[in-house]
Amino acid sequence: MKKTTFIKEDFKKFEDNKNVMMQLFGITCSVCGIDEIAYTAINAPKTIGQIAHEAYEENPDISDEELDKLIESPIKLWQEVDDYNSSIGVPTFVCDNCYDQLLNNEIHISNIGQEEEE
Ligand SMILES: [Zn+2]
């Protein structure tokens, strides 16, 4: 079953310190493709930027290597969530504009991701 209507509670503010995720994966709005993400699906894990930020706070001398290790499984988690969301028709990343339009039912998501079953 694909999700077709959206409410506020389907999303939360996307807070990725220093746009780390954008730099790491070049994430874009799942709906329109612009690179200004304002919201993320409610089932999304903590952002990589937040994780990195907390790690720095805890240990300002953390090495890049340690940091890479630290974000390894969260990155996997994000990929899983994104795959799952595309399978149920939920955009993982949305910009301000698409967020409003989704909530107002002005745009409909059809086949996010590349799956073309049926
Ligand atoms: Zn958008």
Side-chain angles (χ1 to χ4, degrees):
M1 262 286 264
K2 299 248 180 193
K3 193 169 166 58
T4 51
T5 54
F6 295 90
I7 53 169
K8 262 192 183 143
E9 284 70 30
D10 289 324
F11 300 102
K12 59 186 176 188
K13 272 256 172 220
F14 182 66
E15 283 161 330
D16 187 32
N17 304 54
K18 296 185 183 158
N19 289 325
V20 173
M21 292 183 62
M22 206 140 339
Q23 288 171 33
L24 279 179
F25 329 103
I27 51 168
T28 56
C29 173
S30 306
V31 184
C32 72
I34 70 163
D35 61 1
E36 285 165 27
I37 315 299
Y39 295 89
T40 183
I42 197 71
N43 64 346
K46 194 184 268 193
T47 63
I48 308 297
Q50 269 177 305
I51 293 169
H53 178 73
E54 282 165 21
Y56 271 121
E57 298 241 292
E58 228 165 84
N59 174 13
D61 301 321
I62 192 165
S63 69
D64 285 352
E65 229 165 57
E66 283 170 308
L67 202 59
D68 277 352
K69 234 185 170 152
L70 199 75
I71 61 176
E72 217 169 77
S73 60
I75 288 175
K76 240 195 221 148
L77 198 60
W78 271 97
Q79 278 160 351
E80 282 167 17
V81 167
D82 194 31
D83 286 349
Y84 171 73
N85 285 348
S86 9
S87 76
I88 57 166
V90 171
T92 304
F93 305 106
V94 279
C95 68
D96 249 327
N97 203 8
C98 292
Y99 174 78
D100 287 340
Q101 294 191 50
L102 282 170
L103 295 195
N104 293 332
N105 236 335
E106 285 165 13
I107 42 174
H108 297 278
I109 313 283
S110 51
N111 285 328
I112 313 184
Q114 288 81 35
E115 292 152 89
E116 268 161 43
E117 299 146 288
E118 274 145 7

